[in-house]
Amino acid sequence: MINLHWVYVLVGAVFGAWSVFSARDRSNPKRFGNAAFWGLLAISFWFGDILGDFGNGILVLALVAIAGTHLLGRGSGESTRKEERSACSERLGNKLFLPALVVPFTAFLGTLLFNYTPLKALNLIDPKSVTLVLLGVGVIVALAVCYVWLRPPVFAAVEEGRRLIDSIGWAVVLPQMLAALGAVFAAAGVGTTIGSMASAVIPHGSILLAVLLYALGMVVFTMIMGNAFAAFPVMAAAIGVPILIHQDGGNAAVIGAVGMLAGFCGTLMTPMAANFNIVPAALLELKDQYGVIRAQAPTAIVLLIANVVILYVAGFHL
Amino acid sequence: MIDYWPLLGIAVVVVGFALRFNPLLVVAVAAIATGLLGHMPFERVLGTLGKGFNDNRNVTLIYIVLPVIGLLERYGLQQRARTIIAEMRGATTGRLLIAYLGLRQVLSALGLTSVAGHAQTVRPLVAPMAVAAAEKQHGKLDEATEERVKAMSAATDNVGLFFGEDIFLAIASILLIQGTLAGFDIQLTPFQLSVWAIPTAICAFIIHGTRLLLLDRKLKGGPK
C-alpha cells in the first residue's frame, strides 16, 4: 500500500538534489549554508522516524543555527531570460498550461476515482493520505510530460526548483517549527493556563458578552499559536462548553463549528500562520513580508463580526 | 495554584517577531524557554520539539511541486498567463479573483484542499493573471499597486481555503471539534457541524468579493 512515507522518500530526494546542486553553485557566496540546510531537510524526510525524538531535536537546532546566523544565500542561477521566456510562451501557446494543470487534476480526479469507485477496495493507497500521495504522483507525471515535450537540459527541473526554494529560504520550515512550538506549549501546560485565565474574567449573565469573549479568545489565542486547532480545545473548555452550552443553553453544533471559524479569522491576521501568510509573500517576492496579512485583515475583521452575529443568533435564538 | 511562568514563552514570540529577529530563532528560543519554565528537563524539551517537527513534515511536503512550476516558468508560463488575460475581454482583477475565490471554496468544500494553493496555483497562474488584468484596467502599475494586487491574490486563496474546507465532513478541523466536544459528553455528527460552516462560507464570499470589486474600482481610476 502506498502511504505518506513513499511521498516523504520522494520529497527527501528533491531536497537532497537541491542540497547537492547548492554545494556546486559557485555563484552563491553562501553555497555551503544552503547545501547544509536543504541536506538536513533531506535527512529529516528520509530518516526522521529513526532519528528518535532527541535526534530530531538536535536536527531542529542545527537548522535554526544555520538560519539564525544568516548562512543562507542565493545564487545568480542559470535560467532563461525574460525575453527568451516571452518568445517561448508565444511559440508554445496555451499548451503550456497543460503540464501545470496535470498536478491539480491528478489530485482532483484521482481522489474522486479513489473514493467513489471500487478502486478503494484494492488497498492501493492509504485512505488517510490519498490526495497527498496523488499530488506526488501528479508531480512525477507532469515532469515526465515536460521532459518528453520540451526536452529541457537533464537537470533543469532541479535547478529551476532550486531557484524557487532559495527565494523562500528558511521560511520553508517555519510552519513545521511553529507546529513543534505548539507541541512544547501543550506539554508545558500553556493552554490550560490561558483557559483558566479566560474563564476567570467571564462575567455571568450576559450571553452576548460571553459570545464576544469566546470569539475574541479564539482569535487572540489563534494569533499567538498560529493555529486555530491549538486554540479550540482551550477555548471550548474555558468558555464554550461550561458557559455557552451548559449554563446558557446554546446550540452545541453552532458553538463548535462557528467558534472554530472565528479562530480562522485570527489565522488570517498573524505571522505565526507562516505557511499561509509569510511563505506566499516570499513566493510572490513581495517587498513587505506582512503584505498578505495587510491585504486580508479587513476581510478577517468584518468576517469576525459576522461570526459573532451567527454565534449569537443561530446559537441562542433559532 | 496555576503556574504563569510558561506564558513568558508567548512574550518571547511576540517580542522576537516585533524586533524582527530571525523567526526560526525566535520560535526555538520561545520553545526552550517555555519548556524549561514549565519544569521540563532540557532533554525532554528538545525531544518534544523534535517530535513535533518530525510529526508535522506533511506541511512541508507541498514543495515537491516546485520543480514542475520552475521548469514551466523557464518556458514562459507566467508570460502565457498574462497574455491570456490581456486577450480576454471584460477580464478585471476583481472578477478574476472572485472566480478563483468561488472555485477555491467549492474545491475545499469537496475535500480537495491540496489541489490549489500558493505554490501550485497562485504563484504560477493566479497572481500573474491578476497583475495582467490590473495592467489592462489601470495602465502600467507602480510598485505599490503591483504588490497590492499580488498580496490580494494570496489573500484570496487563504480566504477561499479557510472558509470552504469546514463544509467538508471529513476535514481535520471538523473531526477536532467533534472529538473535543465528545470529551465533554456532547455527541455530534460531522454533518451537524459542517452544516453550520455554510453561513460563514457565504459571508466570507460576500465580504471578500465586495472588497475585490472595490479593488477593481480603485484600479479603474488609472495611474495617479
Side-chain angles (χ1 to χ4, degrees):
Chain A
M1 189 160 72
I2 304 175
N3 55 28
L4 215 44
H5 289 278
W6 291 68
V7 189
Y8 285 169
V9 170
L10 182 67
V11 182
V14 173
F15 276 108
W18 284 334
S19 172
V20 172
F21 281 78
S22 291
R24 297 174 11 166
D25 179 5
R26 286 174 194 284
S27 73
N28 177 1
K30 297 177 175 175
R31 58 187 168 132
F32 293 114
N34 289 50
F37 199 83
W38 306 134
L40 282 168
L41 277 176
I43 290 171
S44 167
F45 272 100
W46 278 333
F47 307 115
D49 292 330
I50 52 175
L51 284 178
D53 293 347
F54 191 74
N56 277 306
I58 300 287
L59 187 138
V60 169
L61 289 189
L63 287 170
V64 171
I66 296 171
T69 51
H70 307 287
L71 290 177
L72 284 174
R74 279 174 77 171
S76 55
E78 287 171 46
S79 184
T80 45
R81 277 174 297 116
K82 235 184 181 154
E83 307 80 67
E84 292 176 75
R85 290 184 182 190
S86 296
C88 248
S89 96
E90 286 295 308
R91 185 164 51 82
L92 297 169
N94 290 339
K95 277 184 286 185
L96 207 45
F97 290 122
L98 294 177
L101 294 175
V102 164
V103 180
F105 266 87
T106 310
F108 175 68
L109 292 178
T111 307
L112 293 186
L113 271 178
F114 186 82
N115 283 336
Y116 299 103
T117 66
L119 266 179
K120 196 173 191 167
L122 291 178
N123 262 336
L124 267 175
I125 305 176
D126 181 359
K128 283 196 300 265
S129 32
V130 177
T131 309
L132 291 177
V133 168
L134 287 166
L135 197 73
V137 174
V139 166
I140 294 172
V141 175
L143 282 178
V145 170
C146 287
Y147 271 91
V148 170
W149 178 38
L150 301 168
R151 306 201 171 273
V154 187
F155 293 113
V158 176
E159 286 291 9
E160 298 288 341
R162 190 167 70 87
R163 175 171 60 78
L164 298 184
I165 199 86
D166 277 353
S167 71
I168 312 174
W170 52 260
V172 164
V173 295
L174 187 54
Q176 233 182 298
M177 278 293 289
L178 288 160
L181 175 67
V184 177
F185 275 6
V190 171
T192 36
T193 306
I194 292 193
S196 54
M197 281 167 69
S199 49
V201 299
I202 288 287
H204 287 257
S206 166
I207 293 179
L208 182 61
L209 204 60
V211 164
L212 214 56
L213 278 170
Y214 172 65
L216 286 179
M218 277 300 298
V219 169
V220 172
F221 198 27
T222 299
M223 286 176 70
I224 291 169
M225 303 290 286
N227 189 341
F229 288 18
F232 185 76
V234 176
M235 296 312 296
I239 305 178
V241 173
I243 296 176
L244 294 179
I245 297 175
H246 285 156
Q247 184 186 304
D248 298 335
N251 178 334
V254 177
I255 308 296
V258 186
M260 179 69 93
L261 294 165
F264 286 0
C265 294
T267 317
L268 292 173
M269 295 189 287
T270 173
M272 299 289 279
N275 44 338
F276 301 112
N277 298 339
I278 303 295
V279 170
L283 260 178
L284 296 173
E285 293 161 48
L286 299 187
K287 294 261 163 1
D288 177 7
Q289 64 167 325
Y290 300 134
V292 178
I293 297 177
R294 278 185 231 282
Q296 59 202 9
T299 302
I301 292 167
V302 180
L303 192 54
L304 176 63
I305 297 169
N307 276 325
V308 170
V309 173
I310 294 169
L311 272 171
Y312 187 68
V313 174
F316 295 91
H317 298 279
L318 282 187
Chain B
M1 186 54 210
I2 307 163
D3 186 6
Y4 291 105
W5 284 108
L7 296 186
L8 265 184
I10 294 173
V12 171
V13 171
V14 174
V15 172
F17 265 99
L19 294 179
R20 299 203 172 212
F21 282 114
N22 179 283
L24 286 189
L25 198 61
V26 172
V27 172
V29 171
I32 292 167
T34 305
L36 293 180
L37 292 168
H39 306 292
M40 292 161 70
F42 181 72
E43 237 186 82
R44 219 183 110 218
V45 179
L46 205 56
T48 310
L49 191 65
K51 185 178 188 319
F53 187 81
N54 194 52
D55 288 348
N56 287 288
R57 278 174 297 173
N58 58 337
V59 301
T60 307
L61 177 155
I62 192 64
Y63 297 109
I64 44 168
V65 305
L66 292 188
V68 178
I69 302 301
L71 197 56
L72 289 169
E73 283 187 359
R74 180 191 178 99
Y75 291 93
L77 182 67
Q78 291 201 1
Q79 283 76 4
R80 198 68 231 166
R82 284 166 184 253
T83 313
I84 224 176
I85 289 297
E87 287 169 358
M88 212 180 270
R89 292 170 87 219
T92 67
T93 307
R95 285 181 208 162
L96 176 84
L97 289 180
I98 288 172
Y100 184 67
L101 176 66
L103 178 75
R104 187 74 162 120
Q105 278 193 305
V106 169
L107 284 175
S108 304
L110 296 171
L112 299 159
T113 50
S114 309
V115 165
H118 298 294
Q120 305 97 303
T121 47
V122 177
R123 167 164 172 134
L125 303 172
V126 179
M129 284 179 166
V131 170
E135 277 170 352
K136 240 175 80 173
Q137 291 162 266
H138 182 90
K140 182 94 181 115
L141 301 182
D142 57 86
E143 199 184 1
T145 313
E146 187 176 333
E147 286 244 327
R148 174 100 191 124
V149 171
K150 284 182 176 177
M152 266 309 226
S153 310
T156 301
D157 188 87
N158 284 336
V159 173
L161 170 67
F162 291 4
F163 302 101
E165 65 170 3
D166 267 21
I167 298 172
F168 184 60
L169 302 177
I171 202 81
S173 56
I174 290 288
L175 301 177
L176 176 73
I177 300 168
Q178 189 193 20
T180 306
L181 294 181
F184 295 97
D185 271 331
I186 300 169
Q187 305 299 339
L188 293 169
T189 62
F191 180 74
Q192 286 173 293
L193 289 166
S194 68
V195 165
W196 284 109
I198 295 175
T200 305
I202 294 170
C203 289
F205 186 80
I206 294 171
I207 293 167
H208 197 69
T210 306
R211 291 194 58 221
L212 290 170
L213 291 178
L214 290 177
L215 177 69
D216 256 358
R217 192 183 283 181
K218 213 163 151 197
L219 287 169
K220 230 193 298 177
K224 305 252 149 44

